[in-house]
Amino acid sequence: MWWNALTWTLAILAALFHLGGAASALHAIWNCRTSASAIAWSLALILFPYLTLPAYWILGTYRFAGYQRAFRAGSLDKKVLADYIKQVGHYAIHDPDPVECGFQRLADFPITRGNKVDLLIDGEAMFAALFEEIEKAESYIYLEYFLIADDDIGRTLKRALIGKARQGVACYFVYDELGSLGLPWSYLKDLREAGIKIYPFYPARVGAGRLQFNFRNHRKITVVDGRVALVGGVNVHDDSLGRNPFYGAWRDTHVRVEGPAVEGIQLAFLSDYFWASDGMVPERLDLKPVPAAGHDTQALYVANGPSDANDEGMLFFLHCIHSAQKRIWLATPYFVPVPSVMDALKAAALRGVEIKVIIPLRWDLFIMYLAAYSYLPEAAASGIEIYRYRAGHPHQKVMLIDDHTSWVGSSNLDARSMQLNFEGNLVVFDQAFALQVEQMLRRDLEQSEPMGRDDYEKRSFFFKLGVKIARLFESIL
């Protein structure tokens, strides 16, 4: 009878779920980064496999080995790459101090001199510089963005690229398929018909791996002719120009780089393009580093991602914090630090380092907004100053360390940027540039209000409960 058949089918499915849960629990014990996450996942997979088995294979994997294996197996000719690194070495700084050595090890690339770095404050400055460089392009343009929208600024970019492609400039484009989920097929079709090579960046191409939403490419990169690059926090959508009435003014920061540091940015793009295009290398590629005439700023692009062997996104933040002697000023849209980074911030504050953190007043991801409140009591107890920006939505990712070092990039202060996303930050070792960053952040602080323990303690029971629940997800936020 149909009832007996249904009963047997359900019994078999239940058994498969439990077997899959047990096998996945072993996988979690073997692969999870921390004992706490291994315990949580393994218990949930054994006790509640019907819910947690799909969730684990979507959110529970923390390594992305295929990316590095693919790039190492076939990208650039090894001799060409060796000659390239040798040329870059001509511009490497001499006798780096321990802090500089740490950054170089994280980047697997030297800090170079002979660079020119321009601070681009907010979307208008960034897009003006972007379209200016696209117009100047003679050979090729590399673009990589987490979010591209089919709105006014997105269509302006599309027209600019199609125009350059018709002039014979080769255009190569990588976009994150989840970040750009709303991008219509017609947008991509128009670019491809113009000869632009555009690929989505996704963590796996076939089978169950396609369900993996954990690994996102959050970088924002433009390289033109191998001579100039733009990197930072600005995505390609109208929100970045303050056109969203909910957010109002949009605070973001980007940089324009010219000089040998562009080569590190170019290599990061080549790695991502190689993966996204299933093993292709752009036909147009200039591997000759050229110093910026009349400029000698020292800079380094530090790229990190889930393919790293040593959680280098987290180590990047730890290295920045541990290197500070006087101050750390940080602007981030999300303040959900992993425990080791929060402990490092508290330890720095206790040794007398001035720590100021600027976060949004309004939320764009409500769970991130709630989770940030859970850190207020311990931050206040350690002397960490947290400010809410009132003059719009701060999306910038910027850090000032003492009076000489600063960075602008794509990394948020959360576990996702430190362990799960592909990110990139330009670290600049220059007092004059650090002063520009200080002045910019000081203006932001003047438009911010301090937060304290009472901002959490005086909230309602249900708000605090929401905060506690949001904090439970800190390892994947």
Side-chain angles (χ1 to χ4, degrees):
M1 292 181 61
W2 68 269
W3 178 255
N4 289 332
L6 178 61
T7 302
W8 275 105
T9 301
L10 292 176
I12 292 170
L13 287 174
L16 290 174
F17 262 98
H18 281 280
L19 285 172
S24 298
L26 291 174
H27 184 274
I29 291 169
W30 188 263
N31 290 287
C32 283
R33 283 189 170 100
T34 67
S35 57
S37 60
I39 291 170
W41 275 118
S42 58
L43 285 176
L45 286 162
I46 291 170
L47 296 174
F48 312 106
Y50 310 109
L51 295 175
T52 54
L53 188 60
Y56 177 72
W57 289 105
I58 292 173
L59 298 173
T61 303
Y62 295 97
R63 290 295 181 201
F64 190 22
Y67 173 92
Q68 285 288 15
R69 285 200 301 266
F71 188 65
R72 289 170 183 166
S75 56
L76 300 175
D77 178 87
K78 299 301 184 287
K79 184 178 183 303
V80 172
L81 188 58
D83 291 342
Y84 177 46
I85 297 298
K86 184 177 180 181
Q87 290 184 61
V88 173
H90 293 316
Y91 302 99
I93 63 171
H94 301 295
D95 300 320
D97 62 33
V99 171
E100 293 167 337
C101 283
F103 282 114
Q104 290 187 148
R105 292 285 298 276
L106 286 169
D108 195 22
F109 202 81
I111 299 170
T112 58
R113 50 189 170 76
N115 298 289
K116 180 178 185 288
V117 184
D118 299 315
L119 194 63
L120 304 175
I121 301 175
D122 291 334
E124 288 190 7
M126 180 274 185
F127 287 115
L130 174 66
F131 292 126
E132 180 181 349
E133 296 303 334
I134 288 175
E135 182 59 31
K136 290 179 182 177
E138 297 178 353
S139 179
Y140 65 85
I141 301 168
Y142 299 159
L143 297 108
E144 179 173 347
Y145 285 94
F146 174 70
L147 194 165
I148 316 163
D150 186 23
D151 53 18
D152 285 347
I153 195 65
R155 288 188 288 272
T156 301
L157 176 62
K158 181 176 72 171
R159 288 192 296 270
L161 293 176
I162 290 174
K164 294 306 291 187
R166 287 171 178 166
Q167 295 174 19
V169 174
C171 300
Y172 306 88
F173 207 147
V174 175
Y175 67 95
D176 185 85
E177 66 170 351
L178 183 62
S180 303
L181 193 61
L183 194 64
W185 179 253
S186 59
Y187 187 101
L188 303 173
K189 180 174 177 286
D190 290 344
L191 291 174
R192 288 176 177 137
E193 287 180 348
I196 295 166
K197 297 184 177 179
I198 181 165
Y199 297 96
F201 186 97
Y202 44 72
R205 301 183 181 90
V206 295
R210 283 283 294 177
L211 295 174
Q212 270 294 342
F213 294 125
N214 247 2
F215 307 125
R216 310 317 317 172
N217 194 313
H218 198 235
R219 293 171 183 156
K220 293 89 176 168
I221 292 174
T222 300
V223 178
V224 176
D225 294 340
R227 61 173 180 81
V228 64
L230 285 80
V231 295
V234 182
N235 285 301
V236 183
H237 61 151
D238 283 350
D239 289 7
S240 295
L241 293 166
R243 295 173 183 172
N244 187 319
F246 177 79
Y247 300 116
W250 188 275
R251 259 302 283 120
D252 222 328
T253 305
H254 228 71
V255 287
R256 177 191 178 276
V257 194
E258 188 178 347
V262 171
E263 306 309 321
I265 301 168
Q266 189 162 242
L267 277 180
F269 174 85
L270 291 174
S271 299
D272 294 340
Y273 184 84
F274 186 83
W275 174 265
S277 65
D278 199 12
M280 296 176 64
V281 176
E283 296 86 351
R284 305 273 183 94
L285 174 60
D286 187 344
L287 295 177
K288 184 179 180 181
V290 179
H295 296 272
D296 202 31
T297 298
Q298 298 178 4
L300 171 69
Y301 187 71
V302 181
N304 62 268
S307 61
D308 300 334
N310 295 311
D311 287 342
E312 289 171 10
M314 180 175 63
L315 292 176
F316 174 75
F317 275 96
L318 290 173
H319 185 61
C320 291
I321 295 164
H322 292 320
S323 69
Q325 300 297 316
K326 176 183 174 182
R327 65 178 170 186
I328 297 170
W329 291 6
L330 170 68
T332 176
Y334 308 122
F335 184 72
V336 191
V338 297
S340 59
V341 171
M342 187 63 191
D343 289 342
L345 286 170
K346 291 190 289 186
L350 291 174
R351 71 172 186 264
V353 176
E354 178 189 65
I355 300 178
K356 297 180 183 292
V357 182
I358 303 170
I359 63 175
L361 176 64
R362 297 180 179 179
W363 56 271
D364 64 341
L365 294 174
F366 191 57
I367 191 171
M368 303 290 281
Y369 173 81
L370 285 177
Y373 276 84
S374 68
Y375 297 89
L376 293 181
E378 53 187 311
S382 304
I384 298 171
E385 302 173 35
I386 299 179
Y387 296 82
R388 292 185 292 199
Y389 185 74
R390 295 180 285 102
H393 184 74
H395 185 257
Q396 61 177 330
K397 306 91 164 55
V398 178
M399 182 182 284
L400 172 65
I401 307 167
D402 297 335
D403 298 322
H404 185 265
T405 305
S406 57
W407 60 260
V408 175
S410 67
S411 291
N412 300 313
L413 192 67
D414 58 26
R416 181 154 293 281
S417 280
M418 295 181 201
Q419 298 174 329
L420 302 174
N421 284 349
F422 290 87
E423 306 281 6
N425 306 292
L426 187 81
V427 186
V428 182
F429 307 87
D430 183 81
Q431 192 166 355
F433 186 81
L435 180 60
Q436 293 180 48
V437 173
E438 176 189 349
Q439 293 169 345
M440 177 185 71
L441 293 178
R442 194 178 293 280
R443 289 192 296 269
D444 293 336
L445 286 166
E446 290 171 354
Q447 299 182 83
S448 304
E449 59 186 33
M451 299 181 74
R453 189 192 303 268
D454 287 349
D455 286 276
Y456 171 76
E457 298 290 356
K458 292 186 177 181
R459 291 282 188 155
S460 69
F461 167 79
F462 291 104
F463 184 87
K464 291 179 181 177
L465 179 62
V467 168
K468 295 288 188 182
I469 293 172
R471 178 74 178 261
L472 295 176
F473 297 93
E474 67 177 0
S475 63
I476 59 171
L477 292 178

